[in-house]
Amino acid sequence: MDEMQWPRGELEPPRSVCSLPCKTGHRKKTVKGMPCCWHCERCDGYQYQYDETSCKLCAYNMRPNPNRTSCQPIPIVKLEWHSPWAVIPVFLAMLGIIATIFVMATFIRYNDTPIVRASGRELSYVLLTGIFLCYIITFVMIATPDVAVCSFRRIFLGLGMCISYAALLTKTNRIYRIFEEGKKSVTAPKLISPTSQLAITSSLISVQLFGVLVWFGVDPPNTIIDYDEQKTINPDKARGVLKCDITDLQIICSLGYSILLMVTCTVYAIKTRGVPENFNEAKPIGFTMYTTCIVWLAFIPIFFGTAQSAEKVMLAFFLLTLSL
């Protein structure tokens, strides 16, 4: 026996068996016509070894353990404050907040000067408040999702832009009505006083708030764990994403009223583009609205054409905020 030579240089005599035992995580696949023989087949994907001859798929929120003998929960992730997707927008949001507070403080300090009064100080404060809320929403979008955070997201998602565009629309509408009425008579048009302008702006904003209240009643806010978004072919890299239960369509619908105000404001900005230079406030507003429309036209197809994620939602909304 010591002098026997076996194939492939093996030193031990070959085992007189049809098939060797399968490794852990492999199932036996019987050879047709040879009931005592089998091939070893690895349990792949999200399957684990159920018994010697079969593999089973793990539950929706589970993945196989390293040796594929059972299933284990898929790790849950969320947008972290130290992530580059969060650090850069937070930094820019802080700059925006500081700049907004500085402008507001300047307006308060020179509140009774002719320049501030001529600019429509009441609506200017409303506009600054809207811009401030647009920057604040950045922190709400990054915060760990829970019922409270999801509620604030629904409220402030479109509120800041609604306030800003409502103030701009009221400003441009007022300028348009003043010059249109001036072509017909010397009588001043109605509803151009500061109190009237605030009432009009408040009524426009109340529509947004009413829509949010209806949204709360129809679909109360809650959190979900999305396993589809980062469920990769390799189960070791699979992750579940903790986020608010808000769909792409709901986000666009929440911003839809702001889009309507923006378009209407753009129309009035075009109509008032020929006002005298002494009333050049309409021209910067018009330029702002033209660029904002371009940003929105680019935003909507990109938003719907990519998979939803916390990073995408937060960054896309922040880009829209910068357009203000």
Side-chain angles (χ1 to χ4, degrees):
M1 291 295 293
D2 293 340
E3 295 178 0
M4 294 290 290
Q5 294 184 5
W6 307 104
R8 297 184 296 276
E10 295 181 5
L11 301 178
E12 298 291 334
R15 299 181 63 180
S16 183
V17 293
C18 179
S19 301
L20 297 174
C22 293
K23 298 179 181 178
T24 303
H26 293 66
R27 73 180 183 93
K28 294 179 180 179
K29 185 177 182 180
T30 305
V31 179
K32 187 177 182 180
M34 303 176 68
C36 295
C37 298
W38 60 81
H39 296 305
C40 292
E41 187 178 70
R42 185 174 184 269
C43 298
D44 59 356
Y46 287 82
Q47 296 180 333
Y48 71 100
Q49 183 184 359
Y50 181 70
D51 55 31
E52 288 187 351
T53 60
S54 63
C55 298
K56 279 195 173 182
L57 192 66
C58 289
Y60 183 71
N61 60 341
M62 307 284 281
R63 66 179 182 179
N65 60 5
N67 59 11
R68 293 184 177 271
T69 57
S70 62
C71 295
Q72 61 185 16
I74 294 177
I76 308 301
V77 298
K78 59 181 181 62
L79 183 60
E80 301 291 346
W81 289 95
H82 55 77
S83 168
W85 293 98
V87 172
I88 296 175
V90 165
F91 174 74
L92 295 176
M94 288 298 298
L95 294 180
I97 290 172
I98 293 172
T100 305
I101 293 175
F102 174 77
V103 173
M104 188 173 291
T106 303
F107 265 68
I108 293 174
R109 180 179 179 182
Y110 300 100
N111 188 59
D112 294 323
T113 58
I115 294 179
V116 173
R117 295 174 64 182
S119 66
R121 56 184 176 183
E122 292 79 10
L123 288 182
S124 296
Y125 288 132
V126 174
L127 177 60
L128 289 171
T129 301
I131 296 174
F132 180 81
L133 290 178
C134 287
Y135 286 117
I136 287 294
I137 190 61
T138 303
F139 301 93
V140 180
M141 298 298 287
I142 300 175
T144 302
D146 56 29
V147 175
V149 170
C150 293
S151 299
F152 282 119
R153 285 187 185 182
R154 291 192 181 190
I155 295 172
F156 294 109
L157 185 61
L159 183 60
M161 288 189 177
C162 175
I163 293 174
S164 302
Y165 292 139
L168 290 175
L169 174 58
T170 306
K171 275 176 174 284
T172 53
N173 174 264
R174 176 177 178 270
I175 295 173
Y176 172 77
R177 288 189 296 111
I178 288 175
F179 282 93
E180 283 298 306
E181 188 68 23
K183 295 177 183 179
K184 302 175 183 178
S185 66
V186 294
T187 306
K190 299 178 180 180
L191 303 177
I192 62 171
S193 65
T195 303
S196 301
Q197 297 293 289
L198 289 176
I200 294 172
T201 305
S202 299
S203 62
L204 293 174
I205 297 171
S206 65
V207 176
Q208 173 75 18
L209 293 175
F210 177 75
V212 173
L213 290 177
V214 173
W215 187 7
F216 271 86
V218 174
D219 183 19
N222 64 293
T223 59
I224 60 171
I225 300 176
D226 187 354
Y227 292 99
D228 291 328
E229 184 180 314
Q230 296 192 27
K231 204 163 190 177
T232 58
I233 297 177
N234 183 1
D236 293 336
K237 296 182 180 179
R239 298 291 184 271
V241 181
L242 176 65
K243 60 185 183 181
C244 293
D245 186 13
I246 303 177
T247 64
D248 284 353
L249 182 60
Q250 289 175 331
I251 291 175
I252 293 299
C253 289
S254 179
L255 298 174
Y257 182 62
S258 297
I259 297 176
L260 177 62
L261 293 177
M262 176 199 69
V263 172
T264 308
C265 184
T266 304
V267 171
Y268 278 109
I270 295 173
K271 290 183 176 182
T272 57
R273 65 186 183 277
V275 299
E277 291 296 327
N278 291 338
F279 297 89
N280 60 359
E281 182 184 20
K283 294 183 178 180
I285 292 176
F287 178 77
T288 300
M289 301 316 300
Y290 306 150
T291 55
T292 302
C293 287
I294 294 174
V295 172
W296 273 95
L297 289 174
F299 161 75
I300 294 176
I302 292 174
F303 187 85
F304 278 104
T306 54
Q308 189 183 31
S309 65
E311 292 90 348
K312 185 194 77 171
V313 173
M314 187 274 299
L315 189 58
F317 187 80
F318 184 74
L319 288 175
L320 288 177
T321 301
L322 290 180
S323 69
L324 289 173

